[in-house]
Amino acid sequence: MSVTEEQIDKAMRFMAQVVVCFHCATRIRFGDYECPHCGADLEEDLRAWAMGLLQTIKQ
């Protein structure tokens, strides 16, 4: 599989977005699977974020 510069640029722009907990709006750091503030499980939110990243790259 060959990766294009355009795909890399799309991924970099998407990853620059600030990701926040949907329960309390605390900023989520890379590697967090639960909110450091409210303790909410973030797996579903992270999966949705990953799906958005992949869809953005595919376009």
Side-chain angles (χ1 to χ4, degrees):
M1 178 180 166
S2 180
V3 178
T4 67
E5 283 297 317
E6 182 181 3
Q7 289 172 318
I8 293 169
D9 289 341
K10 286 179 180 181
M12 296 294 287
R13 281 192 304 273
F14 194 90
M15 291 172 49
Q17 297 176 11
V18 174
V19 180
V20 298
C21 174
F22 291 103
H23 302 267
C24 71
T26 296
R27 185 178 179 152
I28 303 304
R29 299 169 300 211
F30 180 78
D32 284 344
Y33 282 89
E34 69 177 36
C35 177
H37 181 256
C38 72
D41 183 4
L42 301 172
E43 184 174 356
E44 289 299 317
D45 300 332
L46 293 173
R47 292 178 74 76
W49 179 88
M51 185 177 291
L53 171 62
L54 295 173
Q55 289 173 343
T56 297
I57 293 171
K58 265 180 37 174
Q59 296 175 356

